[in-house]
Amino acid sequence: LSQSILRSTEQFAKPLSFDSKYDLDATLTHAFATNTPSIFSNAQSSCGPTWEQDPTKPHYLDQVNANYNLLSSYSSLLKYCDMGIDRTPIQPDHNNLVRLAQVKSLPCTFHTREGLRVTSLSMLVELAREVKSESEGECEVGDNNEESEQTCTSGSGGDGGNGRKELHLYAVSAGRVFMFAPKHVGEIFELPHVKGPQGLPVSLEV
């Protein structure tokens, strides 16, 4: 992913800042949507528009980018992120969005499973490190008489105890808001980034 991000920044005409959430949105969208090379093992992405395309009203990207070879180097994620003029709500920060290089489409925004928006590359790195730390577990060194004793516990990762935890990023179409994607009824989402009255923790139960 890191190499794909660096390659993506080279495609933009202006220097991008990894501390700008708008620049990061464009960079990540470009990195995830590029098929040459794709960061996914299966380059044929199933992500695309959430509606059935009317053949008499093609997506504006198909009209603007008449060069088929240009669009063919990207996955259909582009048409999910940019749903077109009629299906993209105009938010107050719409003019701040950074369009992708070459195809000039609008980017997705990216959120954690708990709805926290990723706003900088350093934030993304920190989230990945937290997941890695939780997966590896913790070790404590204690003093047992003259010999040091080390006790380690493997992280459960929240996936049934197999010691593996993944960082899930959710792409949200331009102009749209994040929606939770629960796995089952009764699931509880801990929301440490949301504070209640007097700083009390907030959780969401499905």
Side-chain angles (χ1 to χ4, degrees):
L1 176 59
S2 59
Q3 294 180 353
S4 297
I5 290 176
L6 291 176
R7 283 195 297 265
S8 295
T9 58
E10 296 172 353
Q11 304 301 316
F12 290 82
K14 67 162 190 169
L16 299 182
S17 170
F18 288 135
D19 293 325
S20 166
K21 60 184 178 182
Y22 302 108
D23 287 354
L24 182 69
D25 291 339
T27 303
L28 288 180
T29 301
H30 190 280
F32 287 130
T34 300
N35 282 337
T36 53
S38 174
I39 65 174
F40 303 107
S41 57
N42 181 6
Q44 300 300 321
S45 172
S46 61
C47 184
T50 55
W51 70 92
E52 185 175 351
Q53 190 73 46
D54 185 349
T56 64
K57 298 179 180 179
H59 194 284
Y60 90 94
L61 287 176
D62 295 320
Q63 297 174 318
V64 174
N65 298 281
N67 186 351
Y68 173 79
N69 291 330
L70 179 60
L71 280 179
S72 64
S73 62
Y74 296 90
S75 74
S76 54
L77 176 65
L78 290 184
K79 296 178 184 178
Y80 168 79
C81 292
D82 187 339
M83 293 189 174
I85 298 175
D86 295 335
R87 290 184 170 88
T88 301
I90 304 300
Q91 302 294 349
D93 65 344
H94 182 81
N95 291 331
N96 295 330
L97 302 181
V98 177
R99 291 182 176 270
L100 272 67
Q102 298 178 329
V103 291
K104 305 302 181 184
S105 62
L106 294 173
C108 280
T109 59
F110 294 88
H111 305 251
T112 65
R113 195 164 185 275
E114 294 74 29
L116 179 62
R117 182 173 175 178
V118 180
T119 58
S120 67
L121 183 61
S122 59
M123 179 180 176
L124 178 60
V125 171
E126 184 61 29
L127 290 170
R129 286 175 177 169
E130 290 177 1
V131 171
K132 185 174 185 294
S133 175
E134 293 175 5
S135 299
E136 291 177 346
E138 300 177 350
C139 293
E140 297 180 357
V141 178
D143 186 10
N144 183 12
N145 295 329
E146 297 180 354
E147 297 182 358
S148 295
E149 185 176 283
Q150 181 171 330
T151 303
C152 297
T153 57
S154 60
S156 62
D159 60 346
N162 62 7
R164 179 183 178 184
K165 187 173 183 181
E166 299 175 339
L167 173 60
H168 291 245
L169 289 181
Y170 287 73
V172 178
S173 304
R176 304 276 174 172
V177 296
F178 173 84
M179 296 181 65
F180 289 93
K183 294 180 178 178
H184 55 82
V185 175
E187 183 176 8
I188 297 177
F189 290 88
E190 300 295 343
L191 309 177
H193 57 287
V194 180
K195 298 297 181 183
Q198 300 178 345
L200 294 176
V202 175
S203 60
L204 176 67
E205 182 174 1
V206 180

